[in-house]
Amino acid sequence: MSYELTLILRITDNIESLKELIKKIFQKYNVTVINEQSWDAKKMAYPIDDESEAYYYLLNIESPTSSIDKLIGDFRLNNDILRYFFIRDISKKTA
């Protein structure tokens, strides 16, 4: 299945290492990244975990449906991932 994933990340000194960690999580669950966009740091409408700014990271991914719950479990274990949002891409037809 195709998904659009938006991640809101805590701003750290080395955001690239956090992005690499996220890609390793994807590899662990057989998730393929189709496209990625970095929206850089933005001010949020309301604070999350006492953070008023965060790094926004948008990805288009291909993933087995069974992997989504596992991804969410790993995302919850990482304090630098403030929020995550999966949207199933229904524009692509599947056989």
Side-chain angles (χ1 to χ4, degrees):
M1 294 293 266
S2 294
Y3 295 91
E4 183 176 288
L5 169 62
T6 303
L7 293 168
I8 301 177
L9 309 174
R10 187 179 313 272
I11 296 175
T12 63
D13 291 337
N14 196 353
I15 199 75
E16 293 302 319
S17 66
L18 181 56
K19 288 164 64 173
E20 287 302 317
L21 176 66
I22 291 167
K23 289 178 185 176
K24 285 181 185 175
I25 293 171
F26 289 160
Q27 287 177 347
K28 185 164 85 170
Y29 297 116
N30 199 24
V31 175
T32 305
V33 176
I34 305 300
N35 187 22
E36 63 180 294
Q37 294 178 352
S38 297
W39 289 349
D40 297 325
K42 303 228 181 257
K43 185 167 176 53
M44 295 188 287
Y46 57 90
I48 300 173
D49 290 345
D50 297 325
E51 299 287 338
S52 59
E53 288 188 3
Y55 188 88
Y56 285 71
Y57 191 38
L58 175 70
L59 300 121
N60 294 92
I61 60 172
E62 287 282 336
S63 172
T65 306
S66 60
S67 295
I68 299 301
D69 287 336
K70 296 172 187 173
L71 286 171
I72 290 171
D74 277 14
F75 290 166
R76 286 183 179 163
L77 293 174
N78 191 321
N79 289 331
D80 289 331
I81 299 174
L82 300 174
R83 293 287 188 270
Y84 48 87
F85 188 63
F86 288 91
I87 300 174
R88 190 175 60 170
D89 187 1
I90 57 173
S91 65
K92 296 181 181 175
K93 297 192 179 204
T94 57

